[in-house]
Amino acid sequence: MKILFLDQSGKPGGAELCLIDIAKPYRETSLVGLFADGEFKNILQENQIPVQILTQKSLQVRKESSLFQALGSVGQLIPLVQKVAQLAKNYDCIYANTQKALVVGALGSFLSDRPLIYHLHDILSPEHFSNTNRRVAVTLANRFASLVIANSQASKTAFIQAGGRSEITEIVYNGFHPQTYEIPMSTAQEMREKLGLSGKYIVGHFSRLAPWKGQHILLEALSKCPEDVAVILVGDALFGEQDYVQKLHQQVADLGLTNRVKFLGFRSDIPQLMAACDVVTHTSTAPEPFGRVIVEAMLCGKPIIAAKAGGAMELVENEVNGFLVEPGKSEDLALVISDCFHHREKTGKIAENARLSASQRFDVVNINQQIAQLLLRVLPIKP
Ligand code: UDP
């Protein structure tokens, strides 16, 4: 099967990392078209997935944009749509992996007469997107997509609530390679030493630095935890949230936590870093569409404490394979971290349950089969 994948980002966020696993089985015959250059292109190339940057200008369709602003970017869109329509003639379908990719992919699909698949990695709610962007996404998906793959029930529900067609929408969770997360104890110990946190109880947070990812909630919680607890914040501001980064550093200073918090920036050795942690936290203040980091922590055999909203609630059952806390409640988070700190045996069993079930439930082989079957269902051309 020949697939033209489209993604707007040059940076490797969750949707992009997921796309690597989806595109890989089709790499002999397919292409990933990006609307921006950057580290994501390098990762695709390392995985021998053909990639092409389709435009040098980044599209100005922002989360908060109004209809007027969205229309203002049409001038930029036209050449890109023409390019995609031309390219698509050599492929069986267009697979749009992000919202801007949907805009371009929908028009390209119409012009090239190729089916469109939309992988929905977002919760289309007012908390995350402007009215205009929600309307544009739903209208284009309803009109042009043969299939919408939602990354969770939460994403599917929000899509339908925003007017999306349920009959074209299927849920497929992200896939993972469980063996990537099997890290030897010695490597984990080395990492702890490298971090200078050998004797500490390490709480990890793995996410781009952005207000809704709630790193500030974890810092607040840390100030209420035992002295031996330290935090590593792994991730960078991917979409210009420099003010927030400044605020986090200020918060660390104000709370007197300088010796207990490490900012590690964007890292590509997530499994090794997670293995060095005693517990992993997810603190999003708005509902998370899926939450790759939650599954990754489980696969590493680490207790996960997640914010109780959105996709996280489909991944974590409280006290069975992890812990759920109310979003934004740093006191609650501090209590659960302290509880994990004091009851390591009980917590370890929960983490082991999580590892076993997640290795089955999110195995990339099964997930890719689900996608292959859905593609066969909607595409007229067989592989
Ligand atoms: N991640 C990474 N390096 C970092 C921080 C995060 O590779 O420094 C990865 C993380 O392991 C996860 C992804 O980025 O696979 C984030 O996906 P998630 O679904 O948690 O959030 P999103 O970025 O999609 O909002």
Side-chain angles (χ1 to χ4, degrees):
M1 196 178 293
K2 292 155 76 177
I3 306 177
L4 177 59
F5 295 97
L6 297 179
D7 192 294
Q8 70 202 45
S9 183
K11 297 176 181 169
E16 287 68 37
L17 295 171
C18 172
L19 184 62
I20 292 169
D21 288 319
I22 293 171
K24 221 173 192 175
Y26 305 100
R27 63 187 169 189
E28 302 297 327
T29 50
S30 298
L31 176 71
V32 177
L34 300 182
F35 305 167
D37 205 344
E39 182 54 22
F40 180 38
K41 180 187 78 179
N42 302 337
I43 304 178
L44 285 161
Q45 285 171 338
E46 281 161 22
N47 283 277
Q48 284 93 46
I49 299 168
V51 52
Q52 198 177 319
I53 308 297
L54 301 180
T55 176
Q56 296 312 320
K57 293 183 199 156
S58 79
L59 290 183
Q60 297 302 320
V61 185
R62 300 174 66 81
K63 264 193 177 182
E64 65 279 9
S65 67
S66 66
L67 184 61
F68 179 74
Q69 285 166 313
L71 286 173
S73 61
V74 165
Q76 284 174 280
L77 270 181
I78 293 170
L80 182 55
V81 169
Q82 284 170 335
K83 192 162 188 176
V84 165
Q86 193 60 37
L87 267 175
K89 294 192 174 134
N90 302 317
Y91 295 89
D92 300 326
C93 67
I94 298 175
Y95 192 113
N97 196 51
T98 55
Q99 277 205 35
K100 292 177 199 172
L102 169 67
V103 177
V104 175
L107 300 173
S109 143
F110 175 71
L111 293 174
S112 62
D113 197 24
R114 291 295 182 275
L116 174 74
I117 289 115
Y118 175 36
H119 199 138
L120 173 64
H121 294 275
D122 296 309
I123 291 189
L124 294 178
S125 67
E127 275 162 301
H128 287 283
F129 294 97
S130 69
N131 264 343
T132 308
N133 282 6
R134 279 184 289 140
R135 263 210 311 276
V136 167
V138 168
T139 306
L140 291 176
N142 281 351
R143 166 71 182 80
F144 295 103
S146 309
L147 169 67
V148 175
I149 298 178
N151 66 349
S152 66
Q153 180 65 57
S155 296
K156 177 177 174 174
T157 302
F159 177 67
I160 293 167
Q161 276 171 359
R165 285 165 59 202
S166 64
E167 69 276 15
I168 57 167
T169 312
E170 300 286 345
I171 299 166
V172 181
Y173 290 134
N174 282 206
F176 297 83
H177 299 265
Q179 59 285 7
T180 307
Y181 299 88
E182 288 167 13
I183 305 298
M185 293 254 282
S186 55
T187 310
Q189 189 50 41
E190 271 167 37
M191 183 61 90
R192 293 171 73 89
E193 277 158 27
K194 248 191 242 167
L195 293 171
L197 295 173
S198 280
K200 296 284 185 189
Y201 188 81
I202 306 179
V203 178
H205 193 290
F206 298 79
S207 173
R208 58 199 156 87
L209 303 179
W212 79 274
K213 291 290 190 179
Q215 281 88 355
H216 59 288
I217 304 291
L218 175 57
L219 296 180
E220 263 169 48
L222 178 64
S223 67
K224 303 176 184 105
C225 286
E227 274 293 318
D228 275 348
V229 179
V231 160
I232 57 170
L233 293 179
V234 184
D236 212 343
L238 290 190
F239 304 109
E241 299 93 343
Q242 287 310 329
D243 287 357
Y244 184 59
V245 179
Q246 289 287 319
K247 277 190 195 152
L248 289 176
H249 282 281
Q250 190 59 49
Q251 190 185 3
V252 168
D254 292 348
L255 292 172
L257 296 171
T258 314
N259 295 328
R260 293 168 66 192
V261 178
K262 294 209 182 284
F263 287 83
L264 301 186
F266 184 87
R267 300 279 293 241
S268 43
D269 52 352
I270 297 299
Q272 290 75 10
L273 284 164
M274 276 192 181
C277 293
D278 293 289
V279 66
V280 175
T281 52
H282 162 269
T283 56
S284 296
T285 55
E288 187 74 55
F290 177 75
R292 289 177 60 86
V293 291
I294 297 171
V295 177
E296 291 171 325
M298 290 178 175
L299 293 172
C300 280
K302 297 296 161 180
I304 175 76
I305 308 173
K308 190 179 172 190
M313 291 167 71
E314 296 161 52
L315 309 179
V316 180
E317 204 180 331
N318 193 36
E319 304 234 1
V320 174
N321 62 351
F323 302 89
L324 289 170
V325 292
E326 287 302 322
K329 293 270 186 331
S330 61
E331 299 83 10
D332 295 4
L333 180 60
L335 282 178
V336 181
I337 295 172
S338 303
D339 203 46
C340 290
F341 174 80
H342 291 299
H343 303 101
R344 299 190 196 186
E345 197 174 323
K346 180 189 111 186
T347 311
K349 280 186 190 143
I350 289 175
E352 183 55 15
N353 282 345
R355 194 183 66 75
L356 292 173
S357 58
S359 323
Q360 302 268 317
R361 192 174 173 208
F362 303 103
D363 190 322
V364 71
V365 176
N366 301 336
I367 300 293
N368 279 345
Q369 265 169 14
Q370 290 173 32
I371 291 182
Q373 275 163 9
L374 288 173
L375 294 181
L376 279 181
R377 210 167 80 192
V378 298
L379 297 184
I381 299 153
K382 304 291 175 212

